Amino acid sequence: MLPVIEAYPLAACTYTSTVRQDIVPIDVVYPHYAEESFEIRHSLSHQWFWKSGMKHDDIMLIKLFDNKMDPNNAFYAPHGSWRDPNARNDAPPRRSIELRCMVFGGD
């Protein structure tokens, strides 16, 4: 039986609680690959939500980026994980699989 996630729950920040200046571009460099990504600056206005007790068959769908950048719709969703201080000290760490897909559509 696979463990329930206790120690590092997956968290996402609401788009409406961020401002464009919160998002900072960074370079992610590996020995065989490099890409640009983004980090988020800390702000007390951010509203974070997380899923406690995720099981192996739970799914969280996150919009990583939308190049339309329509001000009326979210075009990114900051996300990550954090050490839950209420978790057992021997709780296994979260393991995730990230699948990316591109969605194309007309107006």
Side-chain angles (χ1 to χ4, degrees):
M1 178 172 207
L2 295 171
V4 172
I5 304 305
E6 297 176 50
Y8 291 87
L10 188 55
C13 184
T14 60
Y15 170 75
T16 55
S17 71
T18 67
V19 294
R20 193 164 185 103
Q21 294 78 13
D22 293 340
I23 306 303
V24 181
I26 61 164
D27 291 327
V28 179
V29 180
Y30 299 100
H32 64 287
Y33 178 71
E35 69 178 356
E36 184 176 76
S37 188
F38 299 92
E39 287 191 356
I40 185 168
R41 288 191 176 117
H42 175 266
S43 172
L44 294 176
S45 67
H46 293 162
Q47 296 176 345
W48 288 87
F49 296 88
W50 60 93
K51 171 72 169 125
S52 296
M54 284 184 86
K55 298 178 184 78
H56 74 281
D57 56 350
D58 287 336
I59 296 171
M60 185 181 287
L61 183 63
I62 301 169
K63 183 188 276 191
L64 293 180
F65 185 75
D66 184 341
N67 65 353
K68 282 190 172 183
M69 295 192 189
D70 177 351
N72 298 314
N73 292 298
F75 61 90
Y76 62 85
H79 60 284
S81 68
W82 56 280
R83 172 77 174 129
D84 185 347
N86 298 316
R88 299 174 317 180
N89 288 336
D90 64 342
R94 179 178 57 83
R95 293 186 300 174
S96 295
I97 297 174
E98 181 176 304
L99 302 173
R100 295 182 184 194
C101 67
M102 293 185 183
V103 178
F104 300 93
D107 291 336

